[in-house]
Amino acid sequence: MTRVETIGLATLYLGDCREILPTLGPIDAAVTDPPYEFSTSGGGLFRKDRENMDQIKAAGLDQGFEHSLISSEQFRSAVVFAHNDQWASLLPHLASEYDRYAICQWHKTNPMPVANRHYQPDTEIYVHAWMTGSHPEGELRHKQRFIVAGNGQDGAIKHPTVKPLPVMRKIIMNVNGRTICDPFMGSGSTGVAAVEFDRAFIGIEREPKFFDIACRRLEDAQRQGNLFLGSAA
Ligand SMILES: C[S@@+](CC[C@H](N)C(=O)[O-])C[C@H]1O[C@@H](n2cnc3c(N)ncnc32)[C@H](O)[C@@H]1O
């Protein structure tokens, strides 16, 4: 049976989003960082990089996801992160599903210092796609297509692919709608940023240990109040 926790503005589901999303009906927006799909063949990795890669594989986060889960029928707009190797198939899906889209970037100030036979891992692409009327929001100064931020993974949050809050806050500021859903919630970074801006949040995570971390982070975020409401530098 699915476990559901209501924590202030957040409703968190422990379970598989392929089963839970169809039960939820229309939601304003999806903001998500789904499992990546990539090849690690060729080129050596630094030891730290290899450790992180091993954790990613152990959590099954190199298997990709069903693109049809991000549908304009359910979400009026969607922000989706993906690995370099996924965009050839994911971008056509989003472009056909939504009226408009923007390709945006997170530039990392502290990438792993390795390139081998590829580029440095210093940039992550995310796409914001929307239906007419659910276009990007925010003041002009908040509507850049890029954000420069450090990786911020200091090991305190036990998830191999935690997204930094400055990145998620910038994205939430640009997303239209009252309710934001992350069907691949992980440790809950999207949710923390969403409630900081007084948005309602729906998160789904299938791994109990990550779900518990997300519950704790959402409790902490809401105990601290809406620190970023109407601000964000
Ligand atoms: C890339 S991680 C998201 C990390 C998140 N952005 C954060 O900051 O912690 C993707 C998450 O999706 C979860 N996941 C994978 N497949 C899922 C599914 N079918 N339903 C729900 N969660 C799933 C994984 O367990 C993982 O925690």
Side-chain angles (χ1 to χ4, degrees):
M1 204 166 66
T2 308
R3 187 174 138 206
V4 186
E5 297 285 344
T6 304
I7 305 169
L9 290 168
T11 307
L12 308 187
Y13 294 82
L14 172 63
D16 192 320
C17 65
R18 291 169 296 187
E19 290 158 19
I20 294 168
L21 279 178
T23 68
L24 298 181
I27 301 170
D28 295 327
V31 174
T32 193
D33 171 28
Y36 287 1
E37 187 175 1
F38 56 86
S39 156
T40 51
S41 61
L45 292 169
F46 274 17
R47 195 174 62 82
K48 254 187 99 181
D49 207 13
R50 170 65 65 195
E51 278 168 17
N52 188 243
M53 198 62 76
D54 288 346
Q55 286 174 16
I56 288 171
K57 281 176 172 287
L61 297 181
D62 59 345
Q63 304 294 311
F65 72 108
E66 291 165 29
H67 298 169
S68 58
L69 290 168
I70 309 297
S71 76
S72 55
E73 204 177 308
Q74 182 152 40
F75 303 112
R76 293 283 303 166
S77 67
V79 173
V80 187
F81 280 88
H83 188 270
N84 187 81
D85 298 354
Q86 275 167 302
W87 285 113
S89 54
L90 181 54
L91 189 57
H93 167 72
L94 294 174
S96 68
E97 197 67 25
Y98 288 91
D99 293 333
R100 305 284 314 264
Y101 67 88
I103 298 173
C104 304
Q105 302 179 353
W106 163 30
H107 291 295
K108 298 181 187 179
T109 50
N110 55 349
M112 197 63 71
V114 61
N116 298 319
R117 295 180 198 161
H118 212 300
Y119 284 92
Q120 284 190 45
D122 57 4
T123 304
E124 280 199 33
I125 303 287
Y126 64 91
V127 165
H128 186 172
W130 62 92
M131 298 305 282
T132 304
S134 296
H135 47 77
E137 290 204 328
E139 295 172 26
L140 182 63
R141 70 194 168 103
H142 292 145
K143 290 178 94 173
Q144 312 95 326
R145 290 169 196 247
F146 66 90
I147 176 163
V148 180
N151 208 340
Q153 171 60 294
D154 62 2
I157 299 166
K158 300 288 177 213
H159 190 290
T161 63
V162 181
K163 283 283 180 285
L165 284 176
V167 173
M168 300 318 298
R169 287 178 187 130
K170 185 259 187 288
I171 289 171
I172 296 296
M173 277 194 293
N174 293 147
V175 170
N176 185 292
R178 169 87 195 114
T179 304
I180 290 169
C181 173
D182 186 348
F184 298 97
M185 172 171 69
S187 67
S189 308
T190 305
V192 171
V195 301
E196 282 179 350
F197 285 96
D198 210 24
R199 311 286 186 98
F201 176 69
I202 298 170
I204 308 171
E205 171 57 48
R206 72 177 177 193
E207 277 298 325
K209 63 179 183 232
F210 299 148
F211 181 82
D212 288 342
I213 293 171
C215 289
R216 222 170 36 244
R217 292 184 77 200
L218 265 302
E219 278 161 11
D220 289 348
Q222 296 189 87
R223 206 174 298 122
Q224 286 168 27
N226 309 106
L227 301 177
F228 292 85
L229 208 51
S231 69

